[in-house]
């Protein structure tokens, strides 16, 4: 990645506090979603504005799964929301949001917007994951 580039590296699901990705979850459990991004040194030094967002989609039910954000998801590079070249954003899906979704396939869609107009954008999708029956 060059000094003028910014991109989403990956988005993945895991069990809360786990260091590794996972793709099967119980309806009585919780899910953490991690979105990792990288910013080149020039953009970081300029303090460009950014915004990241996700959508957690239940493909089987054809609806969205609610989640909670574990911190700010917009700001300027080099501020406390994205202080260095690499940054991870964490989102939480609580067990109540998984009730009634046993046997459902799901996926996370993420995007990054950089700038204030004529945005530079990047997109990522997670692996499919299953809420166990």
């Amino acid at each position: 990645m060059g000094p003028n580039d910014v991109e989403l590296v990956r988005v993945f699901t895991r069990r809360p506090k786990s260091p590794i990705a996972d793709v099967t979850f119980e309806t009585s459990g919780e899910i953490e979603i991690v979105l990792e991004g990288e910013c080149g040194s020039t953009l970081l030094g300029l303090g460009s504005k950014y915004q990241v967002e996700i959508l957690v989609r239940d493909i089987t039910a054809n609806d969205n799964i609610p989640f909670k954000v574990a911190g700010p998801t917009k700001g300027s590079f080099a501020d406390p929301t994205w202080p260095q070249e690499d940054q991870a954003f964490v989102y939480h899906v609580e067990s109540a949001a998984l009730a009634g979704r046993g046997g459902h396939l799901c996926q996370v869609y993420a995007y990054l917007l950089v700038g204030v107009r004529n945005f530079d954008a990047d997109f990522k999708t997670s692996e499919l994951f299953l809420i166990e029956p």
Side-chain angles (χ1 to χ4, degrees):
M1 186 178 78
N4 296 318
D5 296 326
V6 61
E7 65 182 26
L8 294 177
V9 177
R10 69 178 177 153
V11 58
F12 65 96
T13 54
R14 67 183 184 192
R15 295 180 189 283
K17 308 291 185 210
S18 174
I20 59 172
D22 201 346
V23 293
T24 57
F25 301 93
E26 300 84 19
T27 57
S28 61
E30 296 182 354
I31 301 171
E32 275 188 353
I33 298 161
V34 181
L35 176 58
E36 296 176 340
E38 292 180 351
C39 175
S41 58
T42 300
L43 278 179
L44 186 71
L46 291 173
S48 300
K49 294 198 177 296
Y50 77 90
Q51 177 178 346
V52 294
E53 297 290 340
I54 68 165
L55 174 72
V56 184
R57 190 78 181 150
D58 180 333
I59 296 168
T60 304
N62 195 30
D63 66 3
N64 297 333
I65 299 173
F67 60 88
K68 294 185 177 183
V69 181
T73 59
K74 61 182 172 180
S76 299
F77 297 121
D79 74 10
T81 63
W82 195 317
Q84 57 198 31
E85 282 88 356
D86 62 320
Q87 179 62 29
F89 299 90
V90 180
Y91 306 82
H92 298 277
V93 177
E94 296 179 345
S95 59
L98 302 178
R101 296 185 189 273
H104 289 205
L105 281 173
C106 306
Q107 191 167 33
V108 180
Y109 301 86
Y111 69 86
L112 165 68
L113 299 175
V114 177
V116 292
R117 285 189 305 197
N118 301 321
F119 294 102
D120 183 12
D122 193 22
F123 310 92
K124 284 289 182 264
T125 56
S126 71
E127 296 291 325
L128 289 171
F129 63 94
L130 176 70
I131 310 302
E132 295 178 355

